[in-house]
Amino acid sequence: RCLSRNRRVGGVAQATRAAADAVAAREAALRRLRRVAESHAEARQPFAEVRRELIDTLLRLRVFSLDVVEAVERWRAAGSRGGAPWPDQVTGESYLLKMKADTAWLSESPLGEILAFSPKSDPFFVVPSARERPATPTNHMTPTLQARRQLQGEQRKSVLPLQSSLLRRIRNAE
């Protein structure tokens, strides 16, 4: 009986450490994302370099966000705090609820020139991963207008890659 209780306490401690590490990694990625946004807003780097850095940061942030959700679930399953939410260190509120809103600023940021961000909750960046499908022309001039727009050098927004394995993790996390 004592051995199983000690194992469970060790499991809680291990799950607590894993959740804390996952949150720390995600917070570091959020700070990096802010630096990328500042760099782009101040035009400190060429557009292509900012785009590359943004995509790299978002791919990492997506994985870290999934890691947080999964680590908090394991922490809850280990029996810690009777299923209470993982607290945000700054506000004390649920960190998972914080995650829903802490990247909403991207839709209004200059980074929106590079990727299409959702103004709604999108902590796993599914919207920037959706490929735009060309709309069916509503009149006979639409193809001509689209061709002119391309000739004028209007850039298409980049698409954030989303592997099917990550999409499964996202569905499970939601």
Side-chain angles (χ1 to χ4, degrees), residues 1-12:
R1 202 180 233 193
C2 290
L3 290 176
S4 66
R5 192 177 297 157
N6 285 339
R7 211 175 295 139
R8 184 169 180 231
V9 170
V12 171

Side-chain angles (χ1 to χ4, degrees), residues 70-116:
E70 293 165 354
V72 168
E73 285 299 313
R74 285 190 301 274
W75 175 73
R76 285 180 178 162
S80 54
R81 296 177 141 195
W86 182 269
D88 177 29
Q89 290 181 338
V90 176
T91 65
E93 301 295 320
S94 169
Y95 190 81
L96 295 181
L97 290 178
K98 173 195 176 283
M99 281 178 53
K100 287 181 70 173
D102 66 3
T103 56
W105 60 272
L106 287 168
S107 65
E108 298 295 322
S109 80
L111 296 175
E113 300 168 358
I114 301 171
L115 290 169

Side-chain angles (χ1 to χ4, degrees), residues 32-161:
R32 181 178 175 202
L33 181 59
R34 291 254 183 223
R35 286 192 304 271
V36 170
E38 290 169 8
S39 178
H40 180 56
E42 297 170 3
R44 285 187 263 154
Q45 293 177 309
F47 183 84
E49 193 173 322
V50 171
R51 182 179 56 224
R52 182 196 55 74
E53 181 82 11
L54 174 63
I55 289 172
D56 181 59
T57 301
L58 291 176
L59 290 174
R60 290 174 187 269
L61 184 56
R62 174 190 284 155
V63 171
F64 292 147
S65 296
L66 287 166
D67 290 346
V68 166
V69 171
E70 293 165 354
V72 168
E73 285 299 313
R74 285 190 301 274
W75 175 73
R76 285 180 178 162
S80 54
R81 296 177 141 195
W86 182 269
D88 177 29
Q89 290 181 338
V90 176
T91 65
E93 301 295 320
S94 169
Y95 190 81
L96 295 181
L97 290 178
K98 173 195 176 283
M99 281 178 53
K100 287 181 70 173
D102 66 3
T103 56
W105 60 272
L106 287 168
S107 65
E108 298 295 322
S109 80
L111 296 175
E113 300 168 358
I114 301 171
L115 290 169
F117 294 103
S118 174
K120 298 179 181 177
S121 174
D122 189 16
F124 304 117
F125 308 108
V126 174
V127 171
S129 299
R131 297 200 183 277
E132 291 182 26
R133 292 181 183 88
T136 305
T138 55
N139 69 42
H140 68 282
M141 286 300 292
T142 301
T144 304
L145 295 173
Q146 289 173 343
R148 280 188 192 155
R149 207 177 303 141
Q150 287 175 350
L151 287 176
Q152 292 170 353
E154 184 177 351
Q155 294 180 339
R156 271 188 57 204
K157 292 193 178 186
S158 298
V159 176
L160 191 64

